[in-house]
Amino acid sequence: MERLGGILTGSHLLLLLYVAAVPTAAEPAEDEAGWSLYPESRLQDEGPCTIDVWEATQLSYQQFTERYAYSRPVILRGLTDNTKFRSLCSKSKLLAAFGDRKVELSTANTFSYRKVRVAFREYVQQLLRPQAAGALGSETLYFFGGNNVSEWQSLFDQYEAPPYTFPHTSTAYSFGIAGPGTGVPFHWHGPGFAEVIHGRKRWFFYPPDQEPHFHPNSTTLSWLNHTYPHLCQQEAPLECTVHPGEVIYFPDRWWHATLNLDTSVFMSTFLG
């Protein structure tokens, strides 16, 4: 889940947008959806993949439930077909439809105490930049909340959520757009799915009984640069980089941190 400091419940649609602190000097290239690429970034290393990856057609719902739902994360390919949603999430189409809408940005640390309201167009055109390597979580802003849900409903109606559900749970969506190097430090909450629409997102996991070593106001990028290289084999996380069209499942109460390797667009489905 792309938030800290609590467990998400209910059936609200939630929006989550990250913003990094420092702009780059040169204009970057763009991907096919118009989102900026930063080839000079040091985030080209996707790291190892130590999480099981399945084609959805080869893993039944019963097998998913028995092997993963309550025990460990898994990546599923072809679980959903969000071709139309992916097209609607191009930079130009989102700006045309929602550019004048106000979004609320919050700090990307445990407490998320600072709030800033800006137009979505301002966020995308002026604030969506790579994460500064030395920035703290309290200096990194993201948009998160249930406000203005009706204004984005037309977009979310086009999203095909993962078909797997659990008894006695409801779903909540979190939509995000993030610059390279952004993400959230380790945290935990209830189970859910996260799908990458554009870009790449690297995930790190620890089981509930193995709390990782991290500072709640340090970014995932800082943890990757300063702590990760010194971990012994027993301290290494489960990890993998998720690509467009892939869905990662995270079980209840598993510690996880995220790192966007590109300008990324993503949607999470939480099971409250």
Side-chain angles (χ1 to χ4, degrees):
M1 172 181 180
E2 300 298 319
R3 67 165 295 181
L4 298 177
I7 300 176
L8 177 65
T9 60
S11 58
H12 299 291
L13 294 174
L14 304 175
L15 298 178
L16 169 64
L17 303 177
Y18 288 99
V19 57
V22 178
T24 57
E27 286 298 321
E30 296 180 344
D31 65 12
E32 75 284 352
W35 297 109
S36 297
L37 297 173
Y38 298 86
E40 73 284 358
S41 170
R42 291 185 292 177
L43 296 171
Q44 297 309 308
D45 181 13
E46 296 189 353
C49 185
T50 55
I51 296 173
D52 290 350
V53 180
W54 284 86
E55 295 293 334
T57 55
Q58 298 177 355
L59 185 73
S60 68
Y61 176 65
Q62 181 177 348
Q63 291 172 321
F64 164 78
T65 302
E66 293 172 350
R67 300 181 187 182
Y68 302 103
Y70 305 101
S71 58
R72 52 184 170 147
V74 63
I75 293 174
L76 301 168
R77 294 174 175 162
L79 184 63
T80 60
D81 181 5
N82 277 302
T83 304
K84 181 178 181 180
F85 185 79
R86 187 170 297 114
S87 174
L88 294 173
C89 288
S90 70
K91 181 178 178 180
S92 60
K93 289 182 180 179
L94 285 179
L95 285 175
F98 307 104
D100 296 330
R101 308 296 189 185
K102 290 287 186 178
V103 296
E104 186 173 73
L105 309 178
S106 305
T107 49
N109 60 353
T110 298
F111 305 106
S112 301
Y113 53 83
R114 183 183 170 206
K115 308 292 183 182
V116 179
R117 285 181 60 81
V118 300
F120 179 65
R121 188 182 312 280
E122 178 182 350
Y123 166 75
V124 170
Q125 295 181 341
Q126 300 181 29
L127 302 176
L128 187 61
R129 297 291 186 271
Q131 173 77 61
L136 297 174
S138 58
E139 300 167 343
T140 302
L141 297 174
Y142 65 89
F143 172 53
F144 179 84
N147 55 314
N148 296 327
V149 169
S150 61
E151 297 177 351
W152 293 76
Q153 189 69 52
S154 61
L155 176 66
F156 295 146
D157 284 344
Q158 304 304 317
Y159 179 68
E160 180 183 330
Y164 298 161
T165 58
F166 299 156
H168 312 298
T169 61
S170 58
T171 59
Y173 295 145
S174 175
F175 176 70
I177 302 174
T182 60
V184 291
F186 284 101
H187 60 288
W188 62 266
H189 45 69
F193 301 88
E195 179 172 356
V196 172
I197 308 302
H198 295 292
R200 299 168 299 155
K201 181 186 288 288
R202 191 171 173 182
W203 289 73
F204 305 92
F205 287 94
Y206 287 96
D209 60 352
Q210 188 179 350
E211 181 175 355
H213 299 291
F214 72 102
H215 190 286
N217 200 32
S218 292
T219 64
T220 304
L221 182 62
S222 176
W223 177 86
L224 180 68
N225 290 335
H226 301 293
T227 301
Y228 179 87
H230 304 292
L231 297 175
C232 65
Q233 183 175 359
Q234 291 77 13
E235 297 175 323
L238 290 177
E239 63 173 291
C240 200
T241 294
V242 180
H243 298 83
E246 297 179 341
V247 174
I248 190 167
Y249 168 76
F250 44 86
D252 187 27
R253 298 178 182 269
W254 272 64
W255 292 94
H256 56 280
T258 59
L259 181 70
N260 296 288
L261 303 185
D262 309 301
T263 301
S264 302
V265 181
F266 45 90
M267 177 73 91
S268 298
T269 304
F270 302 109
L271 306 175

